[in-house]
Structure formats: C-alpha cells, structure tokens
Amino acid sequence: MISAPNETPDDLAERYRQTRGFDLAEVRLVEYLSSGKDLLPHHDANQLRLILNLARLWILEQDDGSSLDVGPKLGSFREKARLFAEEIRDADTMNAEQLVRHARQLEPYFKEARQSLQTEFRGTMSPSELSRELCHKKLALVLGGGGGCGYVHLGALALLEELELRPGLVVGSSLGSIMGIFRCMHQQYKAEMIERVTTGLSFKNMFRVLEGQPRYGLPGTLRLYLRSAMAKFFMNDNAEVVTLSELAIPFICVVTGVRRDVVKSDFAKYEHEFAKRLRRGPLGALLHVTELVKSWSTLIKDLIMSGGIKPIPLGMCPNSQTFDALDAVGFSCSVPALIHYDILRDDPRMHNLARSLLKNHNVDHLIDGGISANVPARCAWEAIQRGHIKTRNSFILGLDCFAPQLRRNMIFLPLMRLAAENVSRDRHFANFMFTYRKVLSPASLIPNARSLRRAIHHGKDELSVEKSFLKTMLKPLEMPEWTT
C-alpha cells in the first residue's frame, strides 16, 4: 500500500493510502489504451476502469445533498482489485491478452461488490447515484505560477475547450490564478475575453512605483492595481466585482500566509534597491541585473526555509468563499520585495474578511501563492475529497510553467529550483503533471500582442501531445446492462 505524504491532512491520510494506488493504475491503463499500440476490446477496457473506480470509491454523494461513507464496505473487493492495480502500475509493458484476463477474473467480484452496496444501503442509495459516480469523471485543472510564464496556460485552456473538456474545478497560484479566474468566469471558455482584457492593459496602468505602508501584504516596489485595470471584466449582476463563490466554475485561489516573527530579512532594503534600478528602465531590463536577482532569490529562500509560511486555499477554507475574486488573485501574485498588493479602498466587508483570515490561520501577511505551492495539486485533491465539487471521481491535471530549464530564463533558475521543490511535493496529489518547455520570460508580466499569441500557440501545441490521453481519461464510462 502506498504511504501518505507528510502534507496529507490527518483525517484524509487513510483514504490516500487506500485509494492512491488505483489513481496511478488508471493513469497507466489509460496511457496504454490511448497509445494505439494494441486493441483491447471496448467492454474489457470499460470494465477495468469501472473496477478501479469502484475500488477507489470512499464517499458517495447523493441527489439530496447528503453523502454516504461506503469506503469501509468495499475492503474485500478493494484488496482483490489492489493486486491488479499493483501489477499494471509496476509492469514494464502491457498487452491486450493480459488485460482481458484481468477484466474477466474481476468482473464477478465487481458485480458482487456493487450488489452488496445496493443491499447494504437499500432505500438510501439509488443505482443511478452509484452509476454516476463510477462512470463520470470531472476534470480538476491546477494552473501553476511563474510570472509571464503563466500566459502559456491560455493555450492549454483553448485546447481543452476544443476537446470539449470543461473543468469542474480550477485551482491556481500566482499568475496561474489570474488565468484561473479568466477560465472560471464562464462555463464556456471565451478566448475573445482574453483579447478584450489584454488589449487595454499596459505596465503603467497595472503597476506603479509608490511608497506606502502595507496592511495585509509585504513590502514591494511595484504596487499592483489589479482592480482598477480589470474590474470591469469581472462584474456580477449588481455591478460589483464577483466573489469566488459567484464564479461559474468552482475556483480556489492559493495564497501564502506568513507569520510576522519569521520575516527576518530586510524586505525594505530590496524594495528600495529594485525601485532605484526600476527608474533606469522597464521591469524586463531590471530583472537582468544578475546579482540583484540572486540576492532576491536568497531572500525568498530564507523566507521559505523559515517554516513560518503555509498555503491558504481561498475559496475552500472557511469563510473565504465570499472573498472578492480580484483581491484573492492580487494577493496570490504579490511577490515579496517586488510586487505589493493590498486592500487600500474603503471596504469594511473585505477588511473584516482579511483580518478574520489572518487570525484564523495564525498569520500576519498574505503573499504570492507560488512560494508555498506553485502548482497546488494538494489543495485540489483535498477540496475534492471534502466534497467541494460533489464527486470524488476526478482527474487532477497540474500544469507547470515554471520548471527549471537550463537553456531558458537562466537568471530565474534559483527561483525555479525553489518552486520545483514544492511542486515535487504536490506531484503526489496530481493524477497527471504536465510541464511546458516553451514559455515567455517570467519578467513578461504584460506581454505585447505578438508575445501573447506566441505563448498561446506554444501552450496549445505542447499539450496537444496528450489529446488522446485526456479524451480517453475523461470520456464517460458505460455501466454493463446486468448492473442496471
């Protein structure tokens, strides 16, 4: 049985241990099914995936909003299916004959386990509820941060829409969170919205070099004016900025909480140094000051190593669903010493929410979500397991745009390596982690039209390699006639 990572919440650790192996086995199986290397009869392929989905089943959501704890009732079946799961996870190769044999051997146990559940929960569980949970898998999309690298996500979003693969949940950090609210504003992905938003954006209307005392963030040279630049695109019916709960698709924005007692480095020193150099040229030129960026990377590393930071999933944690969506992503993009975001307007509701959030999480500041979870797959997994999207049958697709690359964006390599450490931890909670190779510079925070088109092209082109795999994974299964 697979061990639960240290980051797993205590009350979900046993569920992770019992079910994670079936997640990994299904990915291996679907990779084989979508490879075109062999022809497995449709019935047997469908049956093997139903077996894995039933073995993984723990909580069953019902039509009336309640839930049934069915996991303990499936122990005997789960052990029989585990042998199959372990074999295909560890196998160097698979073939149709071997898989057909597994499907035929396990089919009667599947039928018996399903009928046993229906008998055990007679009157409280309908066959249609169980069939829906086993046959329909929801896509959970996790968009990683990385400054201008994150624009590549737009290409992936466009490709998924073409494939008619619409997410049931989106989770984002840093610039990935901005891409996330673009996607979650409407059920259908609207590429034209991106063009409307970005056409009027400029560095000057998004950032200003201003002095000011932080309230909830940490000092930064550039103050991010996200609401004034983008609010008109994210309004509800009352002409107010949408809250996280009002988005058309469930969205979780990850920020990093920081305790005051661990902020030992002199952020103001770096803030002033950045400001001085910024006056000599634009941000892209500024960030090519190698020694300054190396020192800044050390500053971020010291903050990470302090142990006083943690990811906070806005939209999932208590009382955060009514956070203004733009305030949430603003904090998620606020890089210490460089970019500062805060709630400066007179808004008692949001000030009360922010103060309560800090108190409840025992932190004093909110900063870039990527510092603690750059591709926050664990937050997605935990949200799903706690019933955030009304099903546990999900496929968590993590998109990493900030992985270390020795031939690209070398000046950011120290920061990329820091991010890679927390991405490595989150990898244990994703079903599939995809890494882009062709991305814009992290310094391209406001790319021109040509650069944006290039980022979209690369994102779409690179992820298209996985088209067959994604379509197979997310295509609904069929319940055999004998179980209806």
Side-chain angles (χ1 to χ4, degrees):
M1 192 180 299
I2 294 174
S3 299
N6 294 334
E7 297 79 16
T8 314
D10 291 343
D11 62 324
L12 296 177
E14 180 62 19
R15 192 181 307 179
Y16 183 97
R17 286 191 289 268
Q18 291 282 354
T19 64
R20 178 61 175 174
F22 301 111
D23 286 332
L24 300 176
E26 187 177 23
V27 169
R28 283 294 314 279
L29 177 61
V30 173
E31 285 176 337
Y32 169 77
L33 296 175
S34 60
S35 68
K37 295 179 181 177
D38 209 339
L39 186 62
L40 181 67
H42 173 75
H43 169 82
D44 296 295
N46 185 80
Q47 186 63 49
L48 287 174
R49 293 190 60 196
L50 286 174
I51 287 164
L52 292 171
N53 286 345
L54 182 60
R56 182 173 50 224
L57 180 61
W58 206 268
I59 302 292
L60 179 65
E61 294 286 342
Q62 297 186 276
D63 294 334
D64 63 4
S66 60
S67 58
L68 289 176
D69 185 1
V70 302
K73 305 296 182 181
L74 290 167
S76 176
F77 171 73
R78 190 175 291 117
E79 289 309 309
K80 293 181 177 68
R82 195 184 309 281
L83 297 175
F84 159 63
E86 289 174 351
E87 182 175 329
I88 65 171
R89 284 199 331 261
D90 298 336
D92 294 329
T93 59
M94 284 184 278
N95 60 68
E97 182 180 346
Q98 173 194 37
L99 292 172
V100 168
R101 186 170 63 251
H102 282 302
R104 304 292 165 81
Q105 289 174 345
L106 289 168
E107 187 174 57
Y109 296 116
F110 173 84
K111 181 177 181 179
E112 179 185 10
R114 186 181 187 279
Q115 291 179 335
S116 177
L117 283 181
Q118 291 182 191
T119 301
E120 177 75 25
F121 296 101
R122 188 182 304 277
T124 58
M125 182 189 76
S126 71
S128 63
E129 290 169 341
L130 182 57
S131 295
R132 182 179 61 233
E133 180 68 17
L134 297 184
C135 293
H136 295 274
K137 191 182 298 293
K138 280 193 177 182
L139 171 63
L141 199 55
V142 184
L143 305 178
C149 300
Y151 287 102
V152 73
H153 293 318
L154 295 174
L157 296 178
L159 176 67
L160 292 172
E161 182 67 20
E162 285 183 12
L163 299 176
E164 298 183 347
L165 302 178
R166 292 177 179 165
L169 173 69
V170 177
V171 183
S173 274
S174 196
L175 202 129
S177 69
I178 294 183
M179 302 299 103
I181 60 168
F182 279 133
R183 181 61 192 89
C184 292
M185 192 64 186
H186 305 280
Q187 279 289 341
Q188 182 179 2
Y189 178 61
K190 297 182 180 294
E192 66 274 12
M193 180 183 179
I194 306 298
E195 184 175 351
R196 291 201 309 271
V197 173
T198 55
T199 297
L201 290 185
S202 68
F203 195 85
K204 289 183 178 179
N205 65 19
M206 282 285 284
F207 299 99
R208 300 174 202 169
V209 182
L210 294 174
E211 300 289 339
Q213 186 64 35
R215 295 178 106 166
Y216 310 112
L218 282 176
T221 305
L222 299 170
R223 180 162 290 163
L224 175 59
Y225 284 81
L226 197 63
R227 286 177 65 94
S228 61
M230 297 174 60
K232 63 183 178 180
F233 301 103
F234 294 95
M235 291 291 186
N236 61 21
D237 293 338
N238 297 321
E240 299 172 337
V241 172
V242 294
T243 65
L244 294 174
S245 62
E246 292 174 326
L247 292 166
I249 295 173
F251 175 59
I252 295 171
C253 177
V254 177
V255 300
T256 297
V258 184
R259 294 201 317 268
R260 184 179 293 112
D261 61 312
V262 304
V263 183
K264 303 184 184 303
S265 301
D266 187 2
F267 281 90
K269 168 188 170 184
Y270 289 91
E271 177 191 6
H272 293 315
E273 183 64 22
F274 274 129
K276 182 174 69 175
R277 293 179 182 266
L278 188 62
R279 293 187 182 98
R280 301 177 185 173
L283 181 65
L286 161 72
L287 290 181
H288 283 79
V289 182
T290 306
E291 291 305 315
L292 180 57
V293 175
K294 283 184 178 179
S295 298
W296 178 43
S297 301
T298 302
L299 175 75
I300 302 299
K301 182 178 181 179
D302 290 344
L303 186 61
I304 293 171
M305 298 300 291
S306 70
I309 66 170
K310 63 178 179 180
I312 299 175
L314 299 178
M316 183 180 81
C317 61
N319 303 318
S320 66
Q321 290 83 359
T322 57
F323 228 80
D324 278 19
L326 288 177
D327 284 333
V329 301
F331 283 118
S332 190
C333 294
S334 55
V335 184
L338 180 59
I339 298 174
H340 170 241
Y341 184 84
D342 238 314
I343 302 171
L344 303 177
R345 64 191 185 278
D346 182 16
D347 188 340
R349 186 187 70 85
M350 276 306 302
H351 285 297
N352 287 335
L353 276 173
R355 285 192 290 265
S356 296
L357 186 76
L358 296 177
K359 181 179 179 181
N360 292 341
H361 289 273
N362 190 29
V363 296
D364 301 288
H365 308 284
L366 301 176
I367 59 171
D368 191 320
I371 289 176
S372 59
N374 203 47
V375 187
R378 180 180 68 82
C379 291
W381 181 84
E382 183 178 347
I384 291 164
Q385 296 304 317
R386 298 199 186 285
H388 200 72
I389 58 173
K390 308 303 181 185
T391 181
R392 273 75 176 175
N393 188 6
S394 64
F395 177 73
I396 300 175
L397 172 61
L399 300 178
D400 184 7
C401 63
F402 201 56
Q405 300 183 48
L406 295 180
R407 296 181 181 275
R408 298 173 65 87
N409 299 316
M410 283 292 293
I411 192 171
F412 294 97
L413 191 59
L415 288 173
M416 289 177 168
R417 285 173 172 163
L418 289 174
E421 292 179 15
N422 69 52
V423 172
S424 178
R425 294 193 296 271
D426 271 283
R427 193 177 296 272
H428 296 292
F429 297 90
N431 296 92
F432 193 79
M433 192 75 82
F434 180 83
T435 301
Y436 304 102
R437 292 300 171 192
K438 297 179 181 179
V439 295
L440 301 183
S441 166
S444 298
L445 298 180
I446 311 293
N448 58 37
R450 181 179 179 183
S451 295
L452 185 63
R453 286 194 297 270
R454 187 168 71 249
I456 293 172
H457 169 76
H458 287 321
K460 189 174 182 179
D461 183 61
E462 290 193 55
L463 189 60
S464 65
V465 175
E466 305 295 344
K467 279 197 306 186
S468 178
F469 168 74
L470 294 172
K471 289 175 67 175
T472 304
M473 177 63 76
L474 292 161
K475 183 179 180 180
L477 302 178
E478 303 162 11
M479 192 60 74
E481 289 184 6
W482 50 257
T483 64
T484 58

